[in-house]
Amino acid sequence: MAATPATNPSQLLPLELVDKCIGSRIHIVMKNDKEIVGTLLGFDDFVSILYTQTEITPEGRRITKLDQILLNGNNITMLIPGGEGPEV
């Protein structure tokens, strides 16, 4: 009987890694240099993301807090699981 290998994050497909982050904090960098930190609620095949308890930090480092936000996957540059975001 073969042992099942432990799940190594480096062996996951990108969408599998995002799926494992549902319910946890994630830091997102957008194409327009805005950075968003919040709890990931879900996503679709285009990596459009639904966030809750969101903080948006534009270039000027002003923080805007929103209850929920839906991000278009085409505008996302980078996803950082467990990221705390930039220092203000």
Side-chain angles (χ1 to χ4, degrees), residues 47-61:
V47 193
S48 297
I49 292 180
L50 179 61
Y51 253 27
T52 185
Q53 300 171 350
T54 306
E55 298 176 6
I56 301 176
T57 310
E59 284 180 24
R61 300 294 183 211

Side-chain angles (χ1 to χ4, degrees), residues 10-78:
S10 65
Q11 296 175 342
L12 294 175
L13 295 174
L15 291 180
E16 290 176 326
L17 181 59
V18 175
D19 188 50
K20 288 190 175 291
C21 293
I22 291 177
S24 62
R25 287 189 59 83
I26 192 166
H27 176 199
I28 294 181
V29 178
M30 304 294 287
K31 286 184 180 177
N32 60 2
D33 292 330
K34 288 187 179 177
E35 298 180 19
I36 301 172
V37 178
T39 302
L40 179 64
L41 293 179
F43 68 99
D44 63 10
D45 290 339
F46 303 104
V47 193
S48 297
I49 292 180
L50 179 61
Y51 253 27
T52 185
Q53 300 171 350
T54 306
E55 298 176 6
I56 301 176
T57 310
E59 284 180 24
R61 300 294 183 211
R62 187 182 70 206
I63 295 177
T64 306
K65 294 189 179 191
L66 303 170
D67 288 334
Q68 288 186 348
I69 188 171
L70 177 64
L71 302 174
N72 184 335
N74 288 332
N75 295 319
I76 296 173
T77 301
M78 182 172 27

